[in-house]
Amino acid sequence: MTVLLTGADGYVGWPTALRLADQLDERVVCVDNLGRREWVEQVGSVSAVPVDSPADRFAARENLSFVEGDLADRDVVAGLLDVHEPDTVLHLAAQPSAPYAGINGERALYTQRNNVSCALNLLHGLHEAGLDDTHFVETTTTGVYGAPGFPIPEGGAVMENDGERDHVPFPAMGGSWYHQTKAFDAGNMRLAAADFDLDVSDVRTAIVYGTRTPETDDTGLETRFDFDYYFGTVVNRFCAQAVAGYPITVYGKGEQRKPMVSLEDTVESLVRLTERGHAGESGTVDVYNQVTRPVAIVELAETIADVAAEYDIDAEVKHYENPRDEDESHKMEIDNDRFIDLVGGQHQTLEDGIHDVFGSLVDHRDRIEAHEDRFLPGVLVDE
């Protein structure tokens, strides 16, 4: 088996690459344009956990190979598919930040062009290369659902009009320019599955927390950990704030619940899906809600403060006026039976994941404190 893993230099991509390399007998071809490193630098921040150069990283396993390439370039994609003929494309590459995409029109346009082009080039590239039997897996986001006032199904929905009912794709209700790119991708994957008879899996990823998997515990194999306003997920950012002695910044009441999943469960499910293959009929899209449970933001902050105390850190939870237009009482009910079956049950709880984060970050306190002004939005370095 040959796996083409895109976004392999990223927070989720790197531990996924390591686990694939350890569990597969064949090659894992890793592709990345190293954009995440550049974007984080643009916003004046760094990874709290220092990471090695790509050349050093991808030399860690004999069956890992690294290609620096831009998937928005059709010729790059065509060359990759022609040379490697992957059995599975695991597509994790994207500009993943809603706040970054929302800085201005230039970055919104860049995010949409980049993300949609990458996925569309891969889908058409597989068909044009005659690789219609390749399993195409993309991590989109639970953010495509928005915040509806009813339980979110794992995939489509039933719509009724004028007495007639049908099963239809869930409407795109993403609340950011970034989330809309993943809604576009979901629509394009559905078209590609139907038109090209491709086997497609859409893994809708929740907010990922954590710093470690068993593969990243060795020195030099750590994954990146972003904590700034633009690229740090809420769990990771709150933990970094506590380590730096900065108040944990809860917007508004913080009673709204957000879907979450650990880094360990995220990686394990992607590897299992790669090994198992497409579960549905040929030419269809399988949808997985990659979430273990929704958590209220204020509950999250208080849990982090409690765990911080075990590390002799006195973390203060402070509420600030919410700059976002959102329902602060939204409960986020979301079906995840298909995902839980895929991953084999939850492997890491929120509390254990937070312990892992503190275990990693306390050794890099100075690095975080030097960039604590990046916890909140500010002027970009390149402007």
Side-chain angles (χ1 to χ4, degrees):
M1 173 185 289
T2 298
V3 178
L4 180 66
L5 172 63
T6 75
D9 191 51
Y11 170 57
V12 174
W14 172 239
T16 302
L18 289 173
R19 187 163 300 180
L20 285 169
D22 288 347
Q23 294 190 13
L24 295 180
D25 294 330
E26 303 298 332
R27 293 180 304 145
V28 182
V29 180
C30 300
V31 184
D32 205 296
N33 68 351
L34 308 181
R36 178 67 165 262
R37 299 183 186 224
E38 177 183 342
W39 302 324
V40 172
E41 184 178 347
Q42 283 178 358
V43 302
S45 193
V46 295
S47 168
V49 179
V51 294
D52 284 349
S53 69
D56 290 337
R57 268 188 149 187
F58 291 97
R61 299 289 189 274
E62 290 185 358
N63 58 336
L64 283 182
S65 59
F66 176 67
V67 178
E68 182 177 350
D70 186 355
L71 298 172
D73 185 328
R74 280 178 51 83
D75 291 337
V76 169
V77 173
L80 285 167
L81 297 177
D82 181 60
V83 170
H84 299 290
E85 298 184 341
D87 301 281
T88 301
V89 172
L90 188 51
H91 180 40
L92 277 59
Q95 191 295 99
S97 168
Y100 183 87
I103 289 172
N104 52 36
E106 176 188 356
R107 285 172 174 79
L109 182 59
Y110 169 77
T111 299
Q112 297 213 347
R113 279 180 171 170
N114 178 77
N115 293 1
V116 175
S117 295
C118 290
L120 201 56
N121 283 344
L122 286 165
L123 290 166
H124 271 274
L126 288 170
H127 177 62
E128 291 161 6
L131 299 173
D132 296 328
D133 291 333
T134 296
H135 183 198
F136 182 84
V137 182
E138 180 176 346
T139 53
T140 57
T141 170
T142 53
V144 301
Y145 295 121
F150 53 82
I152 297 170
E154 202 162 18
V158 175
M159 181 176 289
E160 181 173 338
N161 184 45
D162 198 24
E164 299 293 332
R165 295 162 60 89
D166 200 357
H167 192 80
V168 299
F170 195 94
M173 300 169 66
S176 78
W177 305 110
Y178 156 69
H179 289 107
Q180 283 301 101
T181 69
K182 292 302 185 176
F184 296 150
D185 284 356
N188 285 337
M189 284 190 285
R190 189 170 291 106
L191 276 175
D195 287 356
F196 305 151
D197 200 31
L198 281 177
D199 293 339
V200 176
S201 293
D202 179 353
V203 183
R204 300 189 170 179
T205 308
I207 296 168
V208 183
Y209 59 84
T211 53
R212 299 172 176 169
T213 66
E215 297 82 6
T216 66
D217 279 345
D218 293 337
T219 301
L221 297 184
E222 300 92 346
T223 196
R224 67 176 302 111
F225 185 96
D226 294 304
F227 58 90
D228 61 90
Y229 171 81
Y230 297 99
F231 289 95
T233 65
V234 63
V235 186
N236 295 348
R237 189 172 71 253
F238 279 4
C239 290
Q241 288 175 336
V243 168
Y246 194 95
I248 298 175
T249 53
V250 175
Y251 294 147
K253 295 179 180 179
E255 295 175 355
Q256 66 274 30
R257 299 202 303 172
K258 300 293 185 180
M260 299 188 184
V261 64
S262 71
L263 181 62
E264 169 59 32
D265 286 316
T266 301
V267 170
E268 179 63 17
S269 63
L270 293 174
V271 173
R272 288 193 182 202
L273 185 56
T274 301
E275 292 177 319
R276 189 184 75 181
H278 187 255
E281 296 181 4
S282 180
T284 61
V285 179
D286 292 336
V287 176
Y288 300 87
N289 287 339
Q290 194 182 49
V291 51
T292 46
R293 75 178 180 100
V295 181
I297 297 300
V298 68
E299 175 193 349
L300 169 66
E302 291 170 352
T303 300
I304 289 172
D306 289 343
V307 174
E310 300 179 31
Y311 291 83
D312 296 323
I313 297 172
D314 185 14
E316 179 186 11
V317 178
K318 292 188 68 174
H319 293 256
Y320 296 82
E321 182 179 353
N322 195 342
R324 299 165 179 162
D325 183 15
E326 60 182 340
D327 179 2
E328 292 188 10
S329 63
H330 187 254
K331 298 306 179 186
M332 184 55 77
E333 297 179 63
I334 183 166
D335 294 342
N336 65 347
D337 290 346
R338 187 179 295 169
F339 168 70
I340 292 298
D341 179 67
L342 171 66
V343 77
Q346 184 176 8
H347 294 264
Q348 186 176 55
T349 65
L350 177 65
E351 292 77 9
D352 287 343
I354 291 170
H355 274 283
D356 272 359
V357 172
F358 277 108
S360 296
L361 295 193
V362 291
D363 292 334
H364 303 290
R365 189 191 308 267
D366 292 346
R367 191 173 172 90
I368 298 169
E369 289 178 346
H371 296 85
E372 68 174 34
D373 61 328
R374 299 293 91 185
F375 287 140
L376 298 176
V379 177
L380 300 187
V381 170
D382 64 347
E383 291 188 337

